[in-house]
Amino acid sequence: MSSTPSAAPQVVLLHPDDNVLISVTPLARGSVIDFEGREYRLNQDLALGHKLARRDLPAGTKILRYGAPIGSLYSDVKAGEWVHMHNLKSDYLASHTRQGRARGDSGE
Amino acid sequence: MNNSSQQQAALRGYPRADGRKGIRNVVVVAYLVECAHHVSRRIVTQADHSEVHLIGFPGCYPNEYASEMMRAICTHPNVGAALLVSLGCESMDRDALLQTVRESGRLAELLVIQETGGTASTIAEGVQRVQQMRTQLDAQQPVPMAIEELVVGTICGGSDGTSGVTANPAVGRCFDALVADGAACMFEETGELIGCENIMADRAATPELGKLIQECVAKAERYYTTMGFGSFAPGNADGGLTTLEEKSMGAYSKSGSSPITGLIKPGDVPPTGGLYLLDVVPDGEPRFGFPNIADNAEIVEMIACGCHLTLFTTGRGSVVGSAISPVIKICANPDTYQRLSGDMDVNAGKILTGEATLDEVGQEIYQCVLDVATGGQSVSEALGHQEFILTYKSFEPIGPGCLPVRQL
């Protein structure tokens, strides 16, 4: 995968208040995303429809998607990092995977 | 999206005594307990007709909700005739159900296996009755039907990170157009709207309805907390969704932007056009397990509310259809569409690949609704999908504040 920014859209911002971007195509580790004049270098593969941090976000930050809160970070996240179950938890009911309940259960 | 006027005359429906019209003329074969399931399935298989569908309730113990659902479904406008199949000793009030279906002007027959000589003779008798019903139904002619007579539901299943970006807001655009045409549209699964309660309340037709919507979502949260799991499947996480409220926000966009006209429960038919929220989470203390064990249980509840067809969005790739009312499948994810295009009616993933806009896909879904409502088969319908689930539940009736339109 090229490390130069691509012209085709790779991520979208769904709402101006959002602090995450959504991938609209699978993105490989090492890719550089150019969005709103800012470059994000991916330190992991990102599948279609996943989230990456729009800026550095400390633990406890409410993640906004569609301009609405979708949970809180339980660890620090750098700009361009993947935001998913390893750092984001529900503020309502904990999610679960086939292996069991997600980390960051609000009851913890 | 505003090309509805020239389409209105094109719809056709089978007129029913209650004034509603059906876009299909189905014979349902209904088992009244699991013990009659095999016999009923054999009847349907041997009838081998795309408009002979298997439905039923497996439980032997009585349940008011299940009885009400069977009544609502057997008298659904898409149903022209019903063959009830009873073992003979179960609790379902078969005589009352038979009488209700007959009084609705439909053909209805009852076979009790214990009184019909057992499995083989009941199957033979059932096949004959179904063929007689089909002959009569096939002679019926549909009449013109207006768009405002249409009731359309929406559901999402196998959601991923693309669902809330493409297919769900595209269905929202279609819903806005249908509601503008005067149709009744409904969205549901309050357990998948946890996190959206306040924005939904702001869209309610009256402040009282807004408060009832908030209470209804709070009930869903309590219920799912007791169950120990939210409505969030492992595949949702594989597809990029992290939390229940993230899934909710994406699901919520299916509702479009019309005001919310009313809050209904399974079996309640919308009294007018408009946008309705269907509360599918049981009332009272959790008793019978998860509100809906899989997507088809929700589709069945929307059918019990009169839905003629269902718009089903999927990111991961659901393949289901439904008995009675056709399911239109809208695929959110372009990669999934590539893998499962033979199961999809609409590729909303092309919004991500830049081949279409949200408005264009919304228009395509709207056109697909008109096609299916004029007799065209949806993809899942043509593939023979006729899933059906009905389980135990309990509900309190809705209060007057849920349907403010009735108070005007």
Side-chain angles (χ1 to χ4, degrees), chain B residues 86-108:
Chain B
S86 158
L87 174 63
C89 41
E90 73 277 4
S91 297
M92 179 77 72
D93 187 347
R94 55 182 181 260
D95 295 320
L97 181 59
L98 179 69
Q99 188 184 345
T100 303
V101 182
R102 282 186 174 155
E103 284 172 359
S104 76
R106 288 171 175 79
L107 308 168

Side-chain angles (χ1 to χ4, degrees), chain B residues 200-243:
Chain B
M200 272 198 292
D202 289 342
R203 287 172 62 194
T206 65
E208 187 189 7
L209 176 61
K211 191 161 171 290
L212 291 167
I213 289 172
Q214 286 168 321
E215 288 170 5
C216 153
V217 176
K219 176 183 76 171
E221 191 187 353
R222 281 196 306 275
Y223 201 100
Y224 276 99
T225 301
T226 305
M227 291 295 108
F229 291 96
S231 179
F232 189 96
N236 298 143
D238 298 340
L241 296 174
T242 311
T243 65

Side-chain angles (χ1 to χ4, degrees), chain B residues 134-147:
Chain B
R134 271 286 19 126
T135 305
Q136 291 194 54
L137 294 190
D138 290 344
Q140 294 174 354
Q141 291 302 315
V143 299
M145 177 174 171
I147 272 202

Side-chain angles (χ1 to χ4, degrees), chain B residues 28 44 55 63 66 81 126 149 191 214 248 285 312 349:
Chain B
V28 290
V44 170
I55 67 167
N63 183 249
E149 295 179 86
Q214 286 168 321
S248 294
E285 288 303 306
F312 190 126

Side-chain angles (χ1 to χ4, degrees), chain B residues 68-122:
Chain B
E68 166 60 18
M69 293 288 287
M70 287 297 279
R71 182 206 59 74
I73 289 162
C74 290
T75 57
H76 184 279
N78 285 357
V79 172
L83 174 66
L84 311 180
V85 184
S86 158
L87 174 63
C89 41
E90 73 277 4
S91 297
M92 179 77 72
D93 187 347
R94 55 182 181 260
D95 295 320
L97 181 59
L98 179 69
Q99 188 184 345
T100 303
V101 182
R102 282 186 174 155
E103 284 172 359
S104 76
R106 288 171 175 79
L107 308 168
E109 300 285 347
L110 167 68
L111 291 177
V112 180
I113 296 171
Q114 291 168 350
E115 298 167 8
T116 313
T119 300
S121 54
T122 309

Side-chain angles (χ1 to χ4, degrees), chain A residues 51 65 70 84 90-91 95-96, chain B residues 161 232 237 240 242-243 245-246:
Chain A
K51 299 174 285 298
R65 176 178 178 165
I70 59 162
H84 201 28
S90 172
D91 293 326
S95 305
H96 61 279
Chain B
F232 189 96
T242 311
T243 65
E245 55 267 41
E246 180 182 15

Side-chain angles (χ1 to χ4, degrees), chain A residues 16-75:
Chain A
D17 294 344
D18 287 0
N19 47 19
V20 286
L21 304 170
I22 311 298
S23 63
V24 297
T25 186
L27 298 168
R29 177 186 172 139
S31 305
V32 175
I33 317 276
D34 188 3
F35 189 81
E36 297 178 311
R38 177 164 187 173
E39 286 194 353
Y40 301 89
R41 181 176 293 276
L42 300 190
N43 58 9
Q44 71 288 306
D45 291 344
L46 198 68
L48 170 62
H50 283 247
K51 299 174 285 298
L52 63 85
R54 190 180 175 195
R55 61 181 85 94
D56 291 350
L57 302 166
T61 303
K62 291 251 186 214
I63 294 300
L64 299 178
R65 176 178 178 165
Y66 313 106
I70 59 162
S72 303
L73 289 180
Y74 60 90
S75 58

